[in-house]
Short mmCIF file of all heavy atoms in Angstrom, two decimals:
data_model
loop_
_atom_site.label_atom_id
_atom_site.label_comp_id
_atom_site.label_asym_id
_atom_site.label_seq_id
_atom_site.Cartn_x
_atom_site.Cartn_y
_atom_site.Cartn_z
N HIS C 150 -33.29 0.40 18.78
CA HIS C 150 -34.43 -0.49 18.55
C HIS C 150 -35.48 -0.48 19.63
O HIS C 150 -36.67 -0.56 19.36
CB HIS C 150 -33.94 -1.92 18.32
CG HIS C 150 -33.44 -2.12 16.94
ND1 HIS C 150 -32.46 -1.33 16.40
CD2 HIS C 150 -33.80 -3.00 15.98
CE1 HIS C 150 -32.23 -1.73 15.17
NE2 HIS C 150 -33.04 -2.74 14.88
N THR C 153 -38.39 2.02 19.15
CA THR C 153 -39.40 1.67 18.15
C THR C 153 -40.24 0.50 18.63
O THR C 153 -41.47 0.48 18.47
CB THR C 153 -38.71 1.28 16.83
OG1 THR C 153 -37.50 2.01 16.73
CG2 THR C 153 -39.60 1.55 15.65
N ILE C 158 -44.58 -1.68 18.41
CA ILE C 158 -45.09 -3.03 18.64
C ILE C 158 -46.00 -3.06 19.86
O ILE C 158 -47.13 -3.52 19.83
CB ILE C 158 -43.92 -4.03 18.80
CG1 ILE C 158 -43.12 -4.07 17.50
CG2 ILE C 158 -44.45 -5.41 19.17
CD1 ILE C 158 -42.06 -5.10 17.45
N PHE C 224 -30.16 2.29 2.83
CA PHE C 224 -31.62 2.37 2.77
C PHE C 224 -32.23 2.02 4.12
O PHE C 224 -33.09 2.75 4.63
CB PHE C 224 -32.13 1.42 1.68
CG PHE C 224 -31.80 1.90 0.30
CD1 PHE C 224 -30.75 1.34 -0.42
CD2 PHE C 224 -32.50 2.95 -0.26
CE1 PHE C 224 -30.44 1.80 -1.68
CE2 PHE C 224 -32.20 3.41 -1.53
CZ PHE C 224 -31.15 2.84 -2.24
N ALA C 225 -31.79 0.93 4.71
CA ALA C 225 -32.38 0.50 5.98
C ALA C 225 -32.32 1.63 7.00
O ALA C 225 -33.33 2.03 7.57
CB ALA C 225 -31.64 -0.72 6.50
N VAL C 226 -31.13 2.19 7.18
CA VAL C 226 -30.95 3.16 8.26
C VAL C 226 -31.70 4.45 7.94
O VAL C 226 -32.40 5.01 8.79
CB VAL C 226 -29.45 3.44 8.49
CG1 VAL C 226 -29.27 4.55 9.50
CG2 VAL C 226 -28.77 2.17 8.96
N SER C 227 -31.63 4.91 6.69
CA SER C 227 -32.30 6.19 6.40
C SER C 227 -33.81 6.03 6.54
O SER C 227 -34.48 6.89 7.13
CB SER C 227 -31.93 6.67 4.99
OG SER C 227 -32.09 5.62 4.07
N THR C 228 -34.35 4.90 6.06
CA THR C 228 -35.80 4.67 6.25
C THR C 228 -36.13 4.70 7.74
O THR C 228 -37.04 5.39 8.19
CB THR C 228 -36.20 3.28 5.71
OG1 THR C 228 -35.48 3.04 4.52
CG2 THR C 228 -37.68 3.20 5.47
N TYR C 229 -35.35 3.96 8.48
CA TYR C 229 -35.58 3.84 9.91
C TYR C 229 -35.60 5.22 10.56
O TYR C 229 -36.54 5.58 11.28
CB TYR C 229 -34.47 2.98 10.51
CG TYR C 229 -34.65 2.63 11.95
CD1 TYR C 229 -35.87 2.19 12.43
CD2 TYR C 229 -33.59 2.74 12.85
CE1 TYR C 229 -36.03 1.86 13.76
CE2 TYR C 229 -33.74 2.41 14.18
CZ TYR C 229 -34.95 1.97 14.64
OH TYR C 229 -35.11 1.64 15.96
N ALA C 230 -34.60 6.02 10.22
CA ALA C 230 -34.52 7.35 10.81
C ALA C 230 -35.77 8.15 10.46
O ALA C 230 -36.42 8.73 11.32
CB ALA C 230 -33.27 8.07 10.31
N THR C 231 -36.15 8.13 9.18
CA THR C 231 -37.31 8.93 8.75
C THR C 231 -38.56 8.50 9.48
O THR C 231 -39.24 9.30 10.11
CB THR C 231 -37.53 8.73 7.24
OG1 THR C 231 -36.26 8.61 6.61
CG2 THR C 231 -38.30 9.87 6.66
N VAL C 232 -38.85 7.19 9.45
CA VAL C 232 -40.09 6.71 10.07
C VAL C 232 -40.10 7.03 11.56
O VAL C 232 -41.08 7.58 12.09
CB VAL C 232 -40.25 5.19 9.84
CG1 VAL C 232 -41.42 4.66 10.64
CG2 VAL C 232 -40.42 4.91 8.37
N SER C 233 -38.98 6.78 12.23
CA SER C 233 -38.95 7.06 13.67
C SER C 233 -39.25 8.53 13.91
O SER C 233 -40.04 8.88 14.79
CB SER C 233 -37.57 6.73 14.24
OG SER C 233 -37.18 5.45 13.83
N LEU C 285 -48.37 4.46 11.12
CA LEU C 285 -46.92 4.56 11.34
C LEU C 285 -46.43 3.38 12.18
O LEU C 285 -45.40 2.77 11.89
CB LEU C 285 -46.60 5.88 12.03
CG LEU C 285 -46.65 7.07 11.06
CD1 LEU C 285 -46.66 8.38 11.82
CD2 LEU C 285 -45.47 7.00 10.12
N ALA C 286 -47.22 3.03 13.19
CA ALA C 286 -46.84 1.87 14.01
C ALA C 286 -46.70 0.65 13.11
O ALA C 286 -45.74 -0.12 13.20
CB ALA C 286 -47.89 1.63 15.08
N GLY C 287 -47.67 0.52 12.19
CA GLY C 287 -47.63 -0.62 11.27
C GLY C 287 -46.37 -0.61 10.44
O GLY C 287 -45.69 -1.63 10.28
N ILE C 288 -45.99 0.58 9.97
CA ILE C 288 -44.77 0.66 9.14
C ILE C 288 -43.53 0.41 9.99
O ILE C 288 -42.59 -0.29 9.61
CB ILE C 288 -44.67 2.05 8.47
CG1 ILE C 288 -45.89 2.31 7.60
CG2 ILE C 288 -43.39 2.17 7.67
CD1 ILE C 288 -45.99 3.73 7.08
N ALA C 289 -43.56 0.96 11.20
CA ALA C 289 -42.35 0.90 12.04
C ALA C 289 -42.07 -0.52 12.51
O ALA C 289 -40.92 -0.93 12.66
CB ALA C 289 -42.51 1.82 13.24
N THR C 290 -43.17 -1.29 12.72
CA THR C 290 -42.98 -2.62 13.30
C THR C 290 -41.98 -3.48 12.51
O THR C 290 -40.99 -3.94 13.07
CB THR C 290 -44.33 -3.34 13.40
OG1 THR C 290 -45.21 -2.49 14.14
CG2 THR C 290 -44.19 -4.67 14.10
N PRO C 291 -42.18 -3.66 11.18
CA PRO C 291 -41.20 -4.49 10.45
C PRO C 291 -39.80 -3.91 10.54
O PRO C 291 -38.81 -4.65 10.55
CB PRO C 291 -41.72 -4.48 9.02
CG PRO C 291 -42.69 -3.36 8.95
CD PRO C 291 -43.26 -3.20 10.30
N LEU C 292 -39.71 -2.56 10.66
CA LEU C 292 -38.37 -1.96 10.71
C LEU C 292 -37.58 -2.47 11.91
O LEU C 292 -36.38 -2.67 11.84
CB LEU C 292 -38.50 -0.44 10.76
CG LEU C 292 -38.86 0.22 9.44
CD1 LEU C 292 -39.05 1.70 9.62
CD2 LEU C 292 -37.77 -0.04 8.42
N VAL C 293 -38.30 -2.67 13.03
CA VAL C 293 -37.59 -3.14 14.23
C VAL C 293 -36.82 -4.40 13.88
O VAL C 293 -35.67 -4.58 14.28
CB VAL C 293 -38.61 -3.45 15.36
CG1 VAL C 293 -37.88 -3.94 16.59
CG2 VAL C 293 -39.43 -2.22 15.66
N ILE C 294 -37.45 -5.26 13.09
CA ILE C 294 -36.80 -6.50 12.70
C ILE C 294 -35.78 -6.24 11.59
O ILE C 294 -34.63 -6.67 11.65
CB ILE C 294 -37.84 -7.53 12.19
CG1 ILE C 294 -38.99 -7.65 13.19
CG2 ILE C 294 -37.18 -8.88 11.95
CD1 ILE C 294 -38.56 -8.08 14.57
N SER C 295 -36.21 -5.47 10.59
CA SER C 295 -35.40 -5.41 9.36
C SER C 295 -34.07 -4.69 9.57
O SER C 295 -33.03 -5.18 9.14
CB SER C 295 -36.20 -4.69 8.26
OG SER C 295 -36.31 -3.32 8.62
N VAL C 296 -34.09 -3.56 10.28
CA VAL C 296 -32.88 -2.75 10.32
C VAL C 296 -31.69 -3.55 10.81
O VAL C 296 -30.67 -3.68 10.14
CB VAL C 296 -33.07 -1.50 11.18
CG1 VAL C 296 -31.79 -0.73 11.30
CG2 VAL C 296 -34.15 -0.63 10.57
N HIS C 297 -31.84 -4.17 11.97
CA HIS C 297 -30.66 -4.85 12.49
C HIS C 297 -30.37 -6.12 11.73
O HIS C 297 -29.23 -6.58 11.69
CB HIS C 297 -30.79 -5.12 13.98
CG HIS C 297 -29.57 -4.71 14.73
ND1 HIS C 297 -29.06 -3.45 14.63
CD2 HIS C 297 -28.73 -5.39 15.53
CE1 HIS C 297 -27.97 -3.37 15.36
NE2 HIS C 297 -27.73 -4.53 15.91
N THR C 298 -31.39 -6.68 11.08
CA THR C 298 -31.13 -7.82 10.20
C THR C 298 -30.18 -7.38 9.09
O THR C 298 -29.15 -8.00 8.84
CB THR C 298 -32.45 -8.31 9.59
OG1 THR C 298 -33.35 -8.57 10.65
CG2 THR C 298 -32.24 -9.55 8.77
N VAL C 322 -30.96 -8.91 16.16
CA VAL C 322 -32.17 -8.20 16.55
C VAL C 322 -32.39 -8.34 18.05
O VAL C 322 -32.59 -7.36 18.76
CB VAL C 322 -33.39 -8.74 15.77
CG1 VAL C 322 -34.66 -8.13 16.31
CG2 VAL C 322 -33.23 -8.47 14.29
#
Side-chain angles (χ1 to χ4, degrees):
Chain C
H150 280 55
T153 329
I158 298 187
F224 290 102
V226 174
S227 49
T228 321
Y229 187 46
T231 324
V232 172
S233 311
L285 283 166
I288 301 171
T290 305
L292 284 176
V293 180
I294 310 301
S295 69
V296 176
H297 228 54
T298 306
V322 173

